[in-house]
C-alpha cells in the first residue's frame, strides 16, 4: 500500500460511507490513487468463458455503478471489471442512509436499491471505454417496472455492443421481490429473453448469472440446471446475504445486503455446491468475503475460475486488487500449481459437504 493510500483511507473513513465512496471514485478519476497497470504472469493468465484475462481477480459490480471510472480502474491491477447495476430508466434508489460500515466485522451493509443513471447514460460512457481490458455490465430492473424480466433484455440490447460480458442480477435483496425471479420457471423465462437480446448484438457476448447466498441446496441445483439449459456462460456466486450471524457492530440490524468477511464461508459453500452440481459444465466466479490472496485461492480451489472483490477495498484500498493478484501468484507457485486452471475445484467436494 502506497503512502498516499495509507494517508487517504483514514481520511475517507471520517466521512459517511456513501460520501466516502463518491470521493474514492473522484480520487481515481483525478489521479490520486495507485494504478500499477496490468498484473500478470504465466501462472495468473487464464480464460473465463472465452475471455482472456491477465489475472483472475475481478472488480465486483457495485463499486462503479455508473461506469464513471473505467479508465483508471482498468489500470488498477484487476484482471476484469464489472460495473453497474444499470436499469433501463434512471432511479434514485432507496432513501439515505443506505450504506453502513461494520468495521469490527470487516463488513458492509447496503440497501442502495439499484440507484443509477440509467442505460442511456451508461451506454454513452461505455462507448468511451478503454480499448484494452475486459469490461462487463451488471443488468438490473427498475423497481416500478411493469415487466422486470424484460428490463434485463432491454439494458443488454442497449449497452451490449460496448461490453465483453453481461451479468443478469436477480439476487439483490434491496429491490422488493427481485429474488423471486430466481425461481426455476421465472428464471427460465427471463433468461430466454436475455439470450434473444444477446443474439441481436453485433457480436454475441458471454452472459453470466449472479445468484444469492441464501439458497437451499435444492434451489442451487435448480438454478444450475436452468442456467445450463439456457446456454449461459458462467454463474457468479454470490451476491450479498440477509444473514446477520456473528456480527458485533452496532449497525448489524440495519436492513439490506451484508457483504465482506462474514460472507466468506457461506458464499464459498454455495460456490462449491455449484461446482459439484455442474461438474465443470460452465465456469464459476467466486465473490463474497475475498480480502487476501489466501481467500482468492480458497475460492478457486472451491470451484471458481475467477474471483471478484469490492467490500474489502473499503478497509484495504484500491491497491488491494494488485496485492491479491501478486500474492496469488506466489501462493500458486508455493502449492505447486503451474496455472490458475490447475487449482480450480481441487477442494470443491470438501467445501460442498
Amino acid at each position: 500500500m502506497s503512502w498516499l493510500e495509507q494517508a487517504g483511507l483514514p481520511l475517507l473513513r471520517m466521512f459517511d460511507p456513501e460520501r466516502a465512496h463518491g470521493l474514492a471514485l473522484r480520487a481515481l478519476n483525478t489521479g490520486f490513487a495507485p494504478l500499477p497497470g496490468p498484473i500478470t504472469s504465466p501462472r495468473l493468465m487464464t480464460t473465463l468463458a472465452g475471455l482472456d484475462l491477465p489475472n483472475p481477480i475481478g472488480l465486483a459490480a457495485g463499486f462503479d455503478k455508473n461506469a464513471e471510472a473505467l479508465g483508471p480502474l482498468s489500470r488498477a491491477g484487476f484482471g476484469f471489471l464489472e460495473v453497474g447495476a444499470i436499469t433501463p430508466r434512471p432511479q434514485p434508489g432507496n432513501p439515505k442512509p443506505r450504506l453502513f460500515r461494520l468495521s469490527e466485522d470487516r463488513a458492509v451493509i447496503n440497501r442502495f436499491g439499484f440507484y443509477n443513471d440509467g442505460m442511456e447514460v451508461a451506454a454513452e460512457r461505455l462507448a468511451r471505454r478503454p480499448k484494452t481490458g475486459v469490461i462487463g455490465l451488471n443488468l438490473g430492473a427498475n423497481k416500478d417496472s411493469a415487466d422486470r424480466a424484460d428490463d434485463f433484455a432491454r439494458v443488454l440490447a442497449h449497452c451490449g455492443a460496448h461490453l465483453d460480458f453481461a451479468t443478469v442480477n436477480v439476487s439483490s435483496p434491496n429491490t422488493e421481490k427481485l429474488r423471486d425471479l430466481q425461481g426455476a420457471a421465472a428464471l427460465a423465462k427471463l433468461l430466454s429473453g436475455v439470450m434473444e437480446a444477446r443474439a441481436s448484438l453485433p457480436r454475441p457476448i458471454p452472459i453470466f448469472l449472479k445468484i444469492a447466498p441464501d439458497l437451499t441446496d435444492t434451489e442451487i441445483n435448480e438454478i444450475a440446471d436452468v442456467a445450463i439449459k439456457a446456454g449461459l456462460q458462467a454463474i457468479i456466486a454470490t451476491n450479498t446475504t440477509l444473514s446477520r450471524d456473528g456480527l458485533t457492530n452496532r449497525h448489524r440490524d440495519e436492513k439490506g445486503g451484508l457483504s465482506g468477511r462474514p460472507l466468506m464461508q457461506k458464499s464459498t459453500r454455495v460456490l462449491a455446491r455449484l461446482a459439484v452440481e455442474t461438474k465443470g459444465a460452465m465456469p464459476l466466479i467466486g465473490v463474497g468475503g475475498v480480502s487476501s490472496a489466501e481467500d482468492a485461492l480458497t475460492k478457486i480451489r472451491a470451484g471458481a475460475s475467477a474471483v471478484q472483490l469490492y467490500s474489502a477495498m473499503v478497509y484495504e484500498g484500491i491497491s488491494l486488487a494488485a496485492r491479491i493478484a501478486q500474492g496469488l501468484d506466489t501462493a500458486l507457485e508455493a502449492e505447486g500449481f503451474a496455472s490458475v486452471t490447475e487449482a480450480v475445484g481441487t477442494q470443491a467436494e470438501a467445501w460442498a459437504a
Side-chain angles (χ1 to χ4, degrees):
M1 186 183 296
S2 70
W3 68 268
L4 188 60
E5 198 169 23
Q6 286 179 327
L9 282 173
L11 289 174
L12 283 176
R13 284 196 283 270
M14 294 174 64
F15 294 90
D16 74 84
E18 191 162 348
R19 175 65 173 159
H21 184 197
L23 290 171
L25 284 171
R26 186 176 300 176
L28 275 168
N29 280 321
T30 54
F32 290 104
L35 300 174
I39 304 296
T40 192
S41 76
R43 268 183 299 272
L44 292 177
M45 287 187 291
T46 190
T47 301
L48 173 69
L51 302 169
D52 293 327
L53 308 180
N55 71 63
I57 310 302
L59 176 68
F63 181 80
D64 188 3
K65 288 183 175 295
N66 288 301
E68 296 176 280
L70 296 175
L73 285 171
S74 294
R75 303 189 298 276
F78 294 100
F80 64 108
L81 309 176
E82 184 178 344
V83 299
I86 294 295
T87 57
R89 290 174 286 106
Q91 62 181 20
N94 294 321
K96 297 179 182 180
R98 53 193 180 182
L99 180 64
F100 305 89
R101 299 187 196 98
L102 285 72
S103 299
E104 299 94 325
D105 304 303
R106 306 297 275 187
V108 172
I109 290 175
N110 91 81
R111 50 172 181 262
F112 284 130
F114 283 171
Y115 82 81
N116 72 102
D117 294 337
M119 66 183 185
E120 300 285 347
V121 172
E124 291 177 4
R125 291 173 180 157
L126 287 162
R128 302 191 299 269
R129 56 165 284 181
K131 300 302 180 185
T132 58
V134 174
I135 297 176
L137 180 66
N138 193 278
L139 312 175
N142 281 116
K143 183 177 182 178
D144 60 353
S145 174
D147 187 350
R148 286 182 178 170
D150 186 58
D151 280 8
F152 296 91
R154 289 179 61 200
V155 177
L156 177 61
H158 195 79
C159 299
H162 313 301
L163 303 174
D164 297 304
F165 69 91
T167 299
V168 175
N169 183 358
V170 291
S171 52
S172 170
N174 299 317
T175 296
E176 187 179 0
K177 295 185 178 180
L178 182 71
R179 287 190 172 188
D180 292 350
L181 294 174
Q182 290 181 126
L187 183 60
K189 180 180 178 183
L190 183 156
L191 293 178
S192 176
V194 169
M195 295 307 278
E196 285 182 16
R198 172 184 182 261
S200 69
L201 297 176
R203 57 183 178 91
I205 59 173
I207 304 297
F208 303 162
L209 173 68
K210 190 168 188 175
I211 67 169
D214 308 312
L215 297 168
T216 66
D217 286 353
T218 297
E219 290 169 331
I220 292 169
N221 296 345
E222 287 177 350
I223 287 172
D225 184 59
V226 170
I228 291 170
K229 288 179 179 177
L232 297 194
Q233 283 71 45
I235 297 177
I236 301 177
T238 66
N239 211 318
T240 57
T241 181
L242 294 172
S243 171
R244 297 294 186 267
D245 293 344
L247 299 181
T248 61
N249 185 273
R250 64 189 178 90
H251 294 304
R252 62 185 177 273
D253 295 324
E254 291 287 349
K255 292 182 180 180
L258 172 74
S259 58
R261 184 177 292 168
L263 186 54
M264 179 69 184
Q265 296 285 320
K266 189 171 197 173
S267 63
T268 304
R269 186 185 179 277
V270 173
L271 168 70
R273 283 292 313 160
L274 279 170
V276 171
E277 178 66 20
T278 57
K279 298 180 176 64
M282 65 170 59
L284 306 173
I285 300 167
V287 56
V290 176
S291 61
S292 67
E294 291 73 22
D295 292 338
L297 184 55
T298 295
K299 295 280 191 189
I300 290 165
R301 289 185 130 178
S305 294
V307 303
Q308 291 178 317
L309 59 123
Y310 169 12
S311 295
M313 295 192 300
V314 171
Y315 303 103
E316 299 290 339
I318 192 70
S319 68
L320 182 62
R323 286 184 275 133
I324 289 179
Q326 291 162 346
L328 179 61
D329 192 29
T330 300
L332 288 168
E333 182 180 25
E335 294 289 334
F337 295 114
S339 68
V340 171
T341 304
E342 284 187 7
V344 174
T346 52
Q347 294 181 350
E349 292 282 354
W351 269 97

